[in-house]
Amino acid sequence: MLATLTFLSLAGYLYSSGLHQFALASAILGLIFHGIGRKNQSTIQIIVFALIIDILAFTIILPLLPRLLNHYNVHDKSEFYLWCKQHIIEFRNLLGGGDRLDIVLFGGFVGSLFSFLQFVISPLIGAFSDSFGRKFVLVTSMFGNALSMGLWIFADSFFVFLLSRIVGGLTEGNVQMSIAMITDITPEESRSKNLAWVGISFALGFTVGPPLGAYLAKMDLKQVFPDLPVNSFSTPALFAFVLICIETVYLILYLPETKGFKKVDNKKKSDYSNPNSLAFLGWIHFLFLFVFSGMEFTLTFLTFDRFKFTNVSQGMLLGYLGILSALVQGGYVRRVAHKKMSEASLVFQGILSCSIGLAILGHFAFDLTWLYIGATFLAFTSGTVVTSLTSLASLSRDEHDESQGKILGTFRSMGQLGRSLGPIASCTGYYILGSRTIYLTSGALLFVLALACKQLLVPVKVKKA
């Protein structure tokens, strides 16, 4: 309570002093402390609340990336940056054309790096959690996240910024561990319902994080502390660092160990028959995220290219996506999954929706109305596909509880491989083909994938013991 009142009082003082960005940040920290101070929180509530904080910190950077890379392009004259830029130019020359979209190609490689490192590390994180416990691995990963954000604060060069992304990619484990812990403590019949909280956390993080990052970027720490090795985007990084530190302490104090948790009474256990192999689900995960994450990554470049969106405009669009995705997760997926509709059907609906949304963005979105219509379809996709696939994966070999972390880590790894290759492919296609053609092509590819899922993805069968 004392921390809550302190931060809220500080928010009032900062606002009256004209420091509106820091006032908003202080107010959000006050509300976070109010949330973590509540008594008698369930394990799922603790997991979800910590995950929201984590995703809020993670998504702060999203609307800033195009201008952040442009900042280094203008101000960083180090040998390392010039070496990276030369390789981008050589790659662009292989494709043919001028330097108009060099920043898009640069962004594609930077965006892919984090996910590729997650592809490498996710199975290991899952296996370690099976051996040493979910809480230990999660808290350890949080220290890595804090180091990553700390490096970003002082990233006055592209090398330090890239190093922060490498550290973050090798240590981020919150999402994976949250899924594993919810699986540990959730009976099979309500698995989809409770895993939807992960998607809701993502949606809420995307709702607040990008607009907050864009808003905080208005406060340039370089002007406040000209002698420190900070950059014009260090204020959002500082706030993200504070969030990560709060989350780490919160998890240490309140989160119980969930590995080995007895989900349900033996009399209530159900015999689940999931004919979809983990490998098959992993390939669907990979193919979907290869296209979806790539086009999602280029969305900020599309809006910058067509509409000259500012950081604030980018944040507002991503916030809109987050709000709708949260509504889909809470108002639709949690109500119908595994009750009125199978996870397989939700996967089909989500991929088909993405196909339609990409087609709209490519062909019609030359004014804001069509842009937001296309984004609405993408929000439905964001709220359905990954959550439903994850639920299916968690049930694919549920009898081997001792290796649940490794199973989910392997499944997540395939998705991260798609996320790592998708931005490179999409940014390259954006550069060569242009925004209209690459969005229409990607929509067509997902339409084919949706039809394949409709034919090949089999719903889980439940037989009461």
Side-chain angles (χ1 to χ4, degrees), residues 291-353:
V291 179
F292 179 74
S293 67
M295 302 316 299
E296 182 182 49
F297 187 83
T298 64
L299 184 59
T300 54
F301 294 101
L302 174 78
T303 55
F304 182 72
D305 198 26
R306 290 186 182 179
F307 304 102
K308 305 303 179 187
F309 265 20
T310 64
N311 290 334
V312 174
S313 299
Q314 300 281 23
M316 289 177 63
L317 176 62
L318 294 175
Y320 173 77
L321 285 167
I323 291 172
L324 283 186
S325 181
L327 292 175
V328 170
Q329 291 272 357
Y332 182 60
V333 175
R334 277 178 53 82
R335 294 177 183 273
V336 304
H338 217 72
K339 297 177 182 178
K340 302 177 182 179
M341 189 175 298
S342 68
E343 290 88 350
S345 296
L346 290 172
V347 171
F348 166 73
Q349 291 177 9
I351 297 178
L352 182 62
S353 176

Short mmCIF file of all heavy atoms in Angstrom, two decimals, residues 291-353:
data_model
loop_
_atom_site.label_atom_id
_atom_site.label_comp_id
_atom_site.label_asym_id
_atom_site.label_seq_id
_atom_site.Cartn_x
_atom_site.Cartn_y
_atom_site.Cartn_z
N VAL A 291 4.71 -16.83 -41.77
CA VAL A 291 4.01 -15.81 -42.54
C VAL A 291 3.49 -14.71 -41.63
O VAL A 291 3.72 -13.51 -41.87
CB VAL A 291 2.84 -16.43 -43.35
CG1 VAL A 291 2.10 -15.35 -44.13
CG2 VAL A 291 3.35 -17.51 -44.29
N PHE A 292 2.78 -15.08 -40.56
CA PHE A 292 2.09 -14.09 -39.73
C PHE A 292 3.08 -13.14 -39.06
O PHE A 292 2.90 -11.92 -39.08
CB PHE A 292 1.25 -14.80 -38.67
CG PHE A 292 0.53 -13.87 -37.75
CD1 PHE A 292 -0.58 -13.15 -38.18
CD2 PHE A 292 0.95 -13.70 -36.43
CE1 PHE A 292 -1.25 -12.28 -37.34
CE2 PHE A 292 0.29 -12.83 -35.58
CZ PHE A 292 -0.82 -12.12 -36.03
N SER A 293 4.14 -13.68 -38.44
CA SER A 293 5.07 -12.81 -37.73
C SER A 293 5.83 -11.91 -38.69
O SER A 293 6.15 -10.77 -38.36
CB SER A 293 6.06 -13.65 -36.91
OG SER A 293 6.91 -14.40 -37.76
N GLY A 294 6.12 -12.43 -39.88
CA GLY A 294 6.81 -11.61 -40.86
C GLY A 294 5.97 -10.43 -41.29
O GLY A 294 6.45 -9.28 -41.33
N MET A 295 4.69 -10.68 -41.59
CA MET A 295 3.82 -9.58 -42.01
C MET A 295 3.49 -8.67 -40.84
O MET A 295 3.35 -7.45 -41.01
CB MET A 295 2.54 -10.14 -42.63
CG MET A 295 2.79 -11.06 -43.83
SD MET A 295 4.03 -10.43 -44.98
CE MET A 295 3.29 -8.90 -45.50
N GLU A 296 3.37 -9.24 -39.65
CA GLU A 296 3.16 -8.42 -38.46
C GLU A 296 4.34 -7.48 -38.25
O GLU A 296 4.17 -6.31 -37.88
CB GLU A 296 2.98 -9.34 -37.25
CG GLU A 296 2.70 -8.64 -35.93
CD GLU A 296 2.60 -9.61 -34.79
OE1 GLU A 296 3.50 -10.47 -34.65
OE2 GLU A 296 1.63 -9.53 -34.02
N PHE A 297 5.55 -7.99 -38.51
CA PHE A 297 6.75 -7.19 -38.34
C PHE A 297 6.79 -6.03 -39.33
O PHE A 297 7.25 -4.94 -39.01
CB PHE A 297 7.99 -8.08 -38.52
CG PHE A 297 9.28 -7.38 -38.20
CD1 PHE A 297 9.73 -7.29 -36.89
CD2 PHE A 297 10.05 -6.81 -39.20
CE1 PHE A 297 10.91 -6.64 -36.59
CE2 PHE A 297 11.23 -6.16 -38.91
CZ PHE A 297 11.67 -6.08 -37.60
N THR A 298 6.32 -6.28 -40.56
CA THR A 298 6.36 -5.23 -41.58
C THR A 298 5.21 -4.23 -41.44
O THR A 298 5.19 -3.23 -42.16
CB THR A 298 6.31 -5.83 -43.00
OG1 THR A 298 5.06 -6.49 -43.20
CG2 THR A 298 7.46 -6.78 -43.23
N LEU A 299 4.26 -4.49 -40.53
CA LEU A 299 3.11 -3.61 -40.43
C LEU A 299 3.51 -2.19 -40.07
O LEU A 299 2.98 -1.21 -40.62
CB LEU A 299 2.12 -4.16 -39.39
CG LEU A 299 0.81 -3.39 -39.23
CD1 LEU A 299 0.04 -3.34 -40.55
CD2 LEU A 299 -0.05 -4.02 -38.13
N THR A 300 4.48 -2.05 -39.13
CA THR A 300 4.92 -0.70 -38.77
C THR A 300 5.65 -0.02 -39.93
O THR A 300 5.59 1.21 -40.08
CB THR A 300 5.83 -0.73 -37.53
OG1 THR A 300 6.92 -1.62 -37.76
CG2 THR A 300 5.06 -1.18 -36.31
N PHE A 301 6.32 -0.82 -40.76
CA PHE A 301 6.97 -0.24 -41.93
C PHE A 301 5.93 0.15 -42.99
O PHE A 301 6.07 1.16 -43.68
CB PHE A 301 7.97 -1.23 -42.52
CG PHE A 301 9.14 -1.51 -41.62
CD1 PHE A 301 9.20 -2.67 -40.87
CD2 PHE A 301 10.18 -0.61 -41.51
CE1 PHE A 301 10.26 -2.93 -40.03
CE2 PHE A 301 11.26 -0.86 -40.68
CZ PHE A 301 11.31 -2.02 -39.93
N LEU A 302 4.86 -0.66 -43.11
CA LEU A 302 3.78 -0.34 -44.05
C LEU A 302 3.13 0.98 -43.69
O LEU A 302 2.91 1.84 -44.55
CB LEU A 302 2.75 -1.46 -44.04
CG LEU A 302 1.48 -1.22 -44.86
CD1 LEU A 302 1.76 -1.44 -46.35
CD2 LEU A 302 0.34 -2.12 -44.40
N THR A 303 2.81 1.15 -42.41
CA THR A 303 2.14 2.38 -41.98
C THR A 303 3.08 3.58 -42.07
O THR A 303 2.63 4.70 -42.33
CB THR A 303 1.61 2.23 -40.54
OG1 THR A 303 2.69 1.84 -39.67
CG2 THR A 303 0.52 1.18 -40.47
N PHE A 304 4.36 3.35 -41.84
CA PHE A 304 5.33 4.44 -41.98
C PHE A 304 5.49 4.82 -43.45
O PHE A 304 5.59 6.00 -43.81
CB PHE A 304 6.68 4.02 -41.40
CG PHE A 304 7.74 5.09 -41.46
CD1 PHE A 304 7.67 6.20 -40.63
CD2 PHE A 304 8.80 4.99 -42.35
CE1 PHE A 304 8.65 7.19 -40.68
CE2 PHE A 304 9.77 5.97 -42.41
CZ PHE A 304 9.70 7.07 -41.57
N ASP A 305 5.49 3.81 -44.32
CA ASP A 305 5.68 4.03 -45.76
C ASP A 305 4.46 4.68 -46.40
O ASP A 305 4.59 5.62 -47.20
CB ASP A 305 5.98 2.69 -46.43
CG ASP A 305 6.62 2.86 -47.81
OD1 ASP A 305 7.26 3.89 -48.03
OD2 ASP A 305 6.46 1.95 -48.64
N ARG A 306 3.26 4.21 -46.04
CA ARG A 306 2.04 4.72 -46.69
C ARG A 306 1.47 5.96 -46.00
O ARG A 306 0.92 6.84 -46.66
CB ARG A 306 0.97 3.63 -46.72
CG ARG A 306 1.27 2.48 -47.67
CD ARG A 306 0.08 1.53 -47.75
NE ARG A 306 0.35 0.38 -48.62
CZ ARG A 306 -0.52 -0.60 -48.85
NH1 ARG A 306 -1.72 -0.58 -48.27
NH2 ARG A 306 -0.19 -1.61 -49.64
N PHE A 307 1.56 6.00 -44.67
CA PHE A 307 0.87 7.06 -43.93
C PHE A 307 1.81 7.96 -43.13
O PHE A 307 1.35 8.89 -42.47
CB PHE A 307 -0.14 6.45 -42.96
CG PHE A 307 -1.16 5.56 -43.61
CD1 PHE A 307 -1.03 4.17 -43.53
CD2 PHE A 307 -2.22 6.08 -44.31
CE1 PHE A 307 -1.96 3.34 -44.13
CE2 PHE A 307 -3.16 5.26 -44.91
CZ PHE A 307 -3.02 3.89 -44.83
N LYS A 308 3.14 7.66 -43.16
CA LYS A 308 4.11 8.44 -42.38
C LYS A 308 3.75 8.46 -40.90
O LYS A 308 3.80 9.50 -40.23
CB LYS A 308 4.22 9.87 -42.92
CG LYS A 308 4.56 9.96 -44.40
CD LYS A 308 5.84 9.24 -44.74
CE LYS A 308 6.15 9.31 -46.23
NZ LYS A 308 7.32 8.48 -46.60
N PHE A 309 3.35 7.30 -40.38
CA PHE A 309 2.96 7.20 -38.98
C PHE A 309 4.10 7.63 -38.06
O PHE A 309 5.26 7.27 -38.27
CB PHE A 309 2.55 5.76 -38.64
CG PHE A 309 1.06 5.51 -38.75
CD1 PHE A 309 0.24 6.34 -39.48
CD2 PHE A 309 0.49 4.42 -38.11
CE1 PHE A 309 -1.12 6.10 -39.58
CE2 PHE A 309 -0.87 4.18 -38.20
CZ PHE A 309 -1.67 5.02 -38.93
N THR A 310 3.75 8.37 -37.02
CA THR A 310 4.69 8.70 -35.96
C THR A 310 4.73 7.56 -34.94
O THR A 310 3.96 6.60 -35.03
CB THR A 310 4.27 10.00 -35.26
OG1 THR A 310 2.99 9.78 -34.62
CG2 THR A 310 4.15 11.14 -36.25
N ASN A 311 5.62 7.68 -33.93
CA ASN A 311 5.66 6.68 -32.86
C ASN A 311 4.30 6.55 -32.19
O ASN A 311 3.84 5.45 -31.86
CB ASN A 311 6.72 7.07 -31.82
CG ASN A 311 8.13 6.93 -32.34
OD1 ASN A 311 8.39 6.13 -33.24
ND2 ASN A 311 9.04 7.69 -31.78
N VAL A 312 3.64 7.69 -31.95
CA VAL A 312 2.34 7.67 -31.27
C VAL A 312 1.29 6.97 -32.14
O VAL A 312 0.49 6.16 -31.65
CB VAL A 312 1.90 9.10 -30.93
CG1 VAL A 312 0.48 9.10 -30.35
CG2 VAL A 312 2.87 9.72 -29.93
N SER A 313 1.28 7.27 -33.43
CA SER A 313 0.31 6.63 -34.34
C SER A 313 0.54 5.12 -34.40
O SER A 313 -0.42 4.34 -34.40
CB SER A 313 0.43 7.24 -35.74
OG SER A 313 0.15 8.62 -35.71
N GLN A 314 1.82 4.72 -34.44
CA GLN A 314 2.13 3.29 -34.43
C GLN A 314 1.62 2.65 -33.14
O GLN A 314 1.04 1.56 -33.16
CB GLN A 314 3.65 3.07 -34.54
CG GLN A 314 4.31 3.63 -35.77
CD GLN A 314 4.13 2.76 -37.00
OE1 GLN A 314 3.20 1.96 -37.08
NE2 GLN A 314 5.00 2.91 -37.97
N GLY A 315 1.86 3.32 -32.03
CA GLY A 315 1.42 2.79 -30.74
C GLY A 315 -0.09 2.65 -30.65
O GLY A 315 -0.62 1.69 -30.09
N MET A 316 -0.81 3.61 -31.22
CA MET A 316 -2.28 3.56 -31.20
C MET A 316 -2.80 2.37 -32.01
O MET A 316 -3.73 1.68 -31.59
CB MET A 316 -2.85 4.86 -31.74
CG MET A 316 -2.67 6.06 -30.83
SD MET A 316 -3.30 7.59 -31.56
CE MET A 316 -5.06 7.19 -31.72
N LEU A 317 -2.19 2.11 -33.16
CA LEU A 317 -2.62 0.98 -33.98
C LEU A 317 -2.35 -0.34 -33.27
O LEU A 317 -3.23 -1.23 -33.22
CB LEU A 317 -1.89 1.00 -35.33
CG LEU A 317 -2.16 -0.20 -36.25
CD1 LEU A 317 -3.64 -0.27 -36.62
CD2 LEU A 317 -1.29 -0.13 -37.50
N LEU A 318 -1.15 -0.49 -32.70
CA LEU A 318 -0.83 -1.72 -31.98
C LEU A 318 -1.69 -1.88 -30.73
O LEU A 318 -2.06 -3.00 -30.36
CB LEU A 318 0.66 -1.74 -31.62
CG LEU A 318 1.62 -1.80 -32.81
CD1 LEU A 318 3.07 -1.67 -32.34
CD2 LEU A 318 1.43 -3.09 -33.59
N GLY A 319 -2.02 -0.76 -30.09
CA GLY A 319 -2.92 -0.82 -28.95
C GLY A 319 -4.31 -1.29 -29.35
O GLY A 319 -4.95 -2.06 -28.63
N TYR A 320 -4.79 -0.83 -30.50
CA TYR A 320 -6.09 -1.28 -31.02
C TYR A 320 -6.07 -2.78 -31.27
O TYR A 320 -7.03 -3.50 -30.91
CB TYR A 320 -6.38 -0.52 -32.32
CG TYR A 320 -7.61 -1.00 -33.08
CD1 TYR A 320 -8.88 -0.65 -32.66
CD2 TYR A 320 -7.47 -1.80 -34.21
CE1 TYR A 320 -10.00 -1.09 -33.36
CE2 TYR A 320 -8.59 -2.24 -34.91
CZ TYR A 320 -9.85 -1.88 -34.48
OH TYR A 320 -10.96 -2.31 -35.17
N LEU A 321 -4.98 -3.27 -31.86
CA LEU A 321 -4.85 -4.72 -32.07
C LEU A 321 -4.88 -5.47 -30.75
O LEU A 321 -5.52 -6.53 -30.64
CB LEU A 321 -3.53 -5.00 -32.79
CG LEU A 321 -3.47 -4.67 -34.29
CD1 LEU A 321 -2.03 -4.71 -34.78
CD2 LEU A 321 -4.32 -5.65 -35.09
N GLY A 322 -4.21 -4.93 -29.74
CA GLY A 322 -4.17 -5.59 -28.45
C GLY A 322 -5.53 -5.65 -27.77
O GLY A 322 -5.90 -6.68 -27.20
N ILE A 323 -6.29 -4.56 -27.82
CA ILE A 323 -7.61 -4.53 -27.19
C ILE A 323 -8.53 -5.56 -27.82
O ILE A 323 -9.20 -6.35 -27.13
CB ILE A 323 -8.23 -3.12 -27.31
CG1 ILE A 323 -7.46 -2.13 -26.43
CG2 ILE A 323 -9.70 -3.14 -26.90
CD1 ILE A 323 -7.87 -0.69 -26.64
N LEU A 324 -8.58 -5.59 -29.15
CA LEU A 324 -9.45 -6.55 -29.84
C LEU A 324 -9.02 -7.98 -29.57
O LEU A 324 -9.86 -8.87 -29.38
CB LEU A 324 -9.45 -6.28 -31.34
CG LEU A 324 -10.28 -5.09 -31.83
CD1 LEU A 324 -10.29 -5.05 -33.35
CD2 LEU A 324 -11.70 -5.16 -31.31
N SER A 325 -7.71 -8.22 -29.56
CA SER A 325 -7.22 -9.57 -29.30
C SER A 325 -7.61 -10.04 -27.90
O SER A 325 -8.00 -11.19 -27.70
CB SER A 325 -5.70 -9.62 -29.47
OG SER A 325 -5.20 -10.91 -29.25
N ALA A 326 -7.53 -9.13 -26.92
CA ALA A 326 -7.93 -9.48 -25.56
C ALA A 326 -9.42 -9.81 -25.49
O ALA A 326 -9.84 -10.76 -24.81
CB ALA A 326 -7.61 -8.33 -24.61
N LEU A 327 -10.24 -9.05 -26.21
CA LEU A 327 -11.67 -9.33 -26.24
C LEU A 327 -11.97 -10.68 -26.89
O LEU A 327 -12.85 -11.42 -26.44
CB LEU A 327 -12.40 -8.21 -27.00
CG LEU A 327 -12.41 -6.83 -26.32
CD1 LEU A 327 -13.04 -5.79 -27.23
CD2 LEU A 327 -13.15 -6.90 -24.99
N VAL A 328 -11.23 -11.00 -27.95
CA VAL A 328 -11.41 -12.31 -28.60
C VAL A 328 -11.03 -13.43 -27.65
O VAL A 328 -11.75 -14.44 -27.53
CB VAL A 328 -10.58 -12.38 -29.89
CG1 VAL A 328 -10.56 -13.81 -30.45
CG2 VAL A 328 -11.14 -11.43 -30.94
N GLN A 329 -9.90 -13.27 -26.96
CA GLN A 329 -9.45 -14.30 -26.03
C GLN A 329 -10.44 -14.50 -24.88
O GLN A 329 -10.83 -15.62 -24.57
CB GLN A 329 -8.09 -13.91 -25.45
CG GLN A 329 -6.95 -13.93 -26.45
CD GLN A 329 -6.29 -15.29 -26.55
OE1 GLN A 329 -6.65 -16.22 -25.82
NE2 GLN A 329 -5.35 -15.41 -27.45
N GLY A 330 -10.83 -13.38 -24.25
CA GLY A 330 -11.69 -13.49 -23.08
C GLY A 330 -13.14 -13.74 -23.41
O GLY A 330 -13.83 -14.48 -22.69
N GLY A 331 -13.64 -13.13 -24.48
CA GLY A 331 -15.06 -13.23 -24.79
C GLY A 331 -15.44 -14.36 -25.74
O GLY A 331 -16.61 -14.72 -25.83
N TYR A 332 -14.44 -14.92 -26.42
CA TYR A 332 -14.74 -15.96 -27.41
C TYR A 332 -14.00 -17.26 -27.13
O TYR A 332 -14.62 -18.29 -26.86
CB TYR A 332 -14.39 -15.44 -28.80
CG TYR A 332 -14.69 -16.41 -29.93
CD1 TYR A 332 -15.99 -16.87 -30.15
CD2 TYR A 332 -13.69 -16.85 -30.78
CE1 TYR A 332 -16.27 -17.76 -31.18
CE2 TYR A 332 -13.96 -17.74 -31.82
CZ TYR A 332 -15.25 -18.19 -32.01
OH TYR A 332 -15.51 -19.07 -33.02
N VAL A 333 -12.66 -17.22 -27.14
CA VAL A 333 -11.88 -18.45 -26.99
C VAL A 333 -12.16 -19.13 -25.66
O VAL A 333 -12.39 -20.34 -25.60
CB VAL A 333 -10.38 -18.15 -27.15
CG1 VAL A 333 -9.55 -19.40 -26.88
CG2 VAL A 333 -10.08 -17.64 -28.56
N ARG A 334 -12.14 -18.36 -24.56
CA ARG A 334 -12.36 -18.97 -23.24
C ARG A 334 -13.76 -19.54 -23.09
O ARG A 334 -13.98 -20.43 -22.27
CB ARG A 334 -12.11 -17.92 -22.14
CG ARG A 334 -10.65 -17.75 -21.78
CD ARG A 334 -10.43 -16.70 -20.73
NE ARG A 334 -11.25 -16.89 -19.54
CZ ARG A 334 -10.96 -17.72 -18.54
NH1 ARG A 334 -9.87 -18.46 -18.60
NH2 ARG A 334 -11.74 -17.81 -17.50
N ARG A 335 -14.72 -19.04 -23.87
CA ARG A 335 -16.10 -19.51 -23.75
C ARG A 335 -16.40 -20.73 -24.60
O ARG A 335 -17.21 -21.57 -24.22
CB ARG A 335 -17.06 -18.37 -24.13
CG ARG A 335 -17.04 -17.20 -23.16
CD ARG A 335 -17.95 -16.09 -23.63
NE ARG A 335 -17.90 -14.93 -22.76
CZ ARG A 335 -18.64 -14.77 -21.67
NH1 ARG A 335 -19.52 -15.71 -21.34
NH2 ARG A 335 -18.53 -13.69 -20.93
N VAL A 336 -15.74 -20.82 -25.76
CA VAL A 336 -16.13 -21.88 -26.71
C VAL A 336 -15.11 -22.99 -26.83
O VAL A 336 -15.46 -24.12 -27.23
CB VAL A 336 -16.38 -21.29 -28.11
CG1 VAL A 336 -17.43 -20.20 -28.05
CG2 VAL A 336 -15.10 -20.77 -28.76
N ALA A 337 -13.83 -22.74 -26.53
CA ALA A 337 -12.79 -23.74 -26.74
C ALA A 337 -13.05 -24.98 -25.90
O ALA A 337 -13.26 -24.91 -24.69
CB ALA A 337 -11.41 -23.17 -26.40
N HIS A 338 -13.03 -26.12 -26.56
CA HIS A 338 -13.17 -27.43 -25.93
C HIS A 338 -14.57 -27.69 -25.38
O HIS A 338 -14.84 -28.72 -24.79
CB HIS A 338 -12.14 -27.59 -24.80
CG HIS A 338 -11.59 -28.99 -24.71
ND1 HIS A 338 -10.72 -29.50 -25.63
CD2 HIS A 338 -11.81 -29.97 -23.81
CE1 HIS A 338 -10.41 -30.74 -25.30
NE2 HIS A 338 -11.06 -31.05 -24.20
N LYS A 339 -15.48 -26.73 -25.55
CA LYS A 339 -16.85 -26.91 -25.10
C LYS A 339 -17.78 -26.94 -26.30
O LYS A 339 -18.38 -27.97 -26.61
CB LYS A 339 -17.26 -25.78 -24.14
CG LYS A 339 -16.45 -25.73 -22.86
CD LYS A 339 -16.88 -24.54 -22.01
CE LYS A 339 -16.07 -24.43 -20.74
NZ LYS A 339 -16.47 -23.24 -19.94
N LYS A 340 -17.89 -25.79 -26.97
CA LYS A 340 -18.77 -25.67 -28.11
C LYS A 340 -18.02 -25.83 -29.43
O LYS A 340 -18.64 -26.03 -30.48
CB LYS A 340 -19.48 -24.32 -28.09
CG LYS A 340 -20.29 -24.08 -26.83
CD LYS A 340 -20.91 -22.69 -26.84
CE LYS A 340 -21.69 -22.44 -25.55
NZ LYS A 340 -22.28 -21.07 -25.54
N MET A 341 -16.69 -25.72 -29.38
CA MET A 341 -15.91 -25.75 -30.61
C MET A 341 -14.53 -26.32 -30.29
O MET A 341 -13.95 -26.05 -29.23
CB MET A 341 -15.78 -24.34 -31.17
CG MET A 341 -15.17 -24.24 -32.55
SD MET A 341 -15.23 -22.54 -33.12
CE MET A 341 -17.03 -22.28 -33.17
N SER A 342 -13.99 -27.12 -31.20
CA SER A 342 -12.68 -27.72 -30.98
C SER A 342 -11.57 -26.71 -31.23
O SER A 342 -11.75 -25.71 -31.93
CB SER A 342 -12.49 -28.92 -31.92
OG SER A 342 -12.38 -28.49 -33.27
N GLU A 343 -10.40 -27.00 -30.66
CA GLU A 343 -9.23 -26.16 -30.89
C GLU A 343 -8.85 -26.16 -32.37
O GLU A 343 -8.38 -25.15 -32.91
CB GLU A 343 -8.06 -26.64 -30.05
CG GLU A 343 -8.18 -26.41 -28.56
CD GLU A 343 -8.90 -27.53 -27.83
OE1 GLU A 343 -9.47 -28.41 -28.52
OE2 GLU A 343 -8.89 -27.53 -26.59
N ALA A 344 -9.05 -27.30 -33.02
CA ALA A 344 -8.73 -27.39 -34.45
C ALA A 344 -9.57 -26.40 -35.26
O ALA A 344 -9.08 -25.76 -36.21
CB ALA A 344 -8.95 -28.82 -34.95
N SER A 345 -10.83 -26.25 -34.91
CA SER A 345 -11.71 -25.30 -35.61
C SER A 345 -11.27 -23.86 -35.37
O SER A 345 -11.31 -23.03 -36.29
CB SER A 345 -13.16 -25.48 -35.17
OG SER A 345 -13.65 -26.76 -35.53
N LEU A 346 -10.82 -23.57 -34.16
CA LEU A 346 -10.35 -22.23 -33.86
C LEU A 346 -9.09 -21.90 -34.64
O LEU A 346 -8.90 -20.76 -35.09
CB LEU A 346 -10.09 -22.09 -32.35
CG LEU A 346 -11.33 -22.08 -31.46
CD1 LEU A 346 -10.93 -22.15 -29.99
CD2 LEU A 346 -12.16 -20.82 -31.71
N VAL A 347 -8.21 -22.90 -34.81
CA VAL A 347 -7.00 -22.68 -35.60
C VAL A 347 -7.38 -22.34 -37.04
O VAL A 347 -6.85 -21.39 -37.64
CB VAL A 347 -6.10 -23.93 -35.56
CG1 VAL A 347 -4.96 -23.80 -36.58
CG2 VAL A 347 -5.54 -24.14 -34.17
N PHE A 348 -8.32 -23.09 -37.61
CA PHE A 348 -8.77 -22.83 -38.98
C PHE A 348 -9.36 -21.44 -39.11
O PHE A 348 -9.03 -20.68 -40.04
CB PHE A 348 -9.80 -23.89 -39.40
CG PHE A 348 -10.56 -23.52 -40.65
CD1 PHE A 348 -9.95 -23.57 -41.90
CD2 PHE A 348 -11.89 -23.12 -40.57
CE1 PHE A 348 -10.64 -23.22 -43.04
CE2 PHE A 348 -12.59 -22.77 -41.71
CZ PHE A 348 -11.97 -22.83 -42.96
N GLN A 349 -10.23 -21.06 -38.18
CA GLN A 349 -10.86 -19.74 -38.23
C GLN A 349 -9.82 -18.62 -38.16
O GLN A 349 -9.89 -17.64 -38.90
CB GLN A 349 -11.85 -19.59 -37.07
CG GLN A 349 -13.09 -20.45 -37.18
CD GLN A 349 -13.97 -20.30 -35.96
OE1 GLN A 349 -13.76 -19.45 -35.11
NE2 GLN A 349 -15.00 -21.15 -35.87
N GLY A 350 -8.85 -18.79 -37.26
CA GLY A 350 -7.85 -17.75 -37.08
C GLY A 350 -6.96 -17.57 -38.30
O GLY A 350 -6.66 -16.44 -38.70
N ILE A 351 -6.51 -18.67 -38.89
CA ILE A 351 -5.64 -18.57 -40.06
C ILE A 351 -6.41 -18.00 -41.25
O ILE A 351 -5.88 -17.17 -42.01
CB ILE A 351 -5.02 -19.94 -40.39
CG1 ILE A 351 -4.13 -20.42 -39.24
CG2 ILE A 351 -4.20 -19.86 -41.68
CD1 ILE A 351 -3.51 -21.78 -39.45
N LEU A 352 -7.65 -18.41 -41.41
CA LEU A 352 -8.47 -17.87 -42.50
C LEU A 352 -8.69 -16.36 -42.30
O LEU A 352 -8.63 -15.59 -43.27
CB LEU A 352 -9.82 -18.59 -42.55
CG LEU A 352 -10.78 -18.15 -43.67
CD1 LEU A 352 -10.16 -18.43 -45.04
CD2 LEU A 352 -12.13 -18.86 -43.52
N SER A 353 -8.92 -15.94 -41.07
CA SER A 353 -9.10 -14.52 -40.78
C SER A 353 -7.85 -13.73 -41.14
O SER A 353 -7.93 -12.62 -41.69
CB SER A 353 -9.44 -14.33 -39.30
OG SER A 353 -9.53 -12.97 -38.96
#
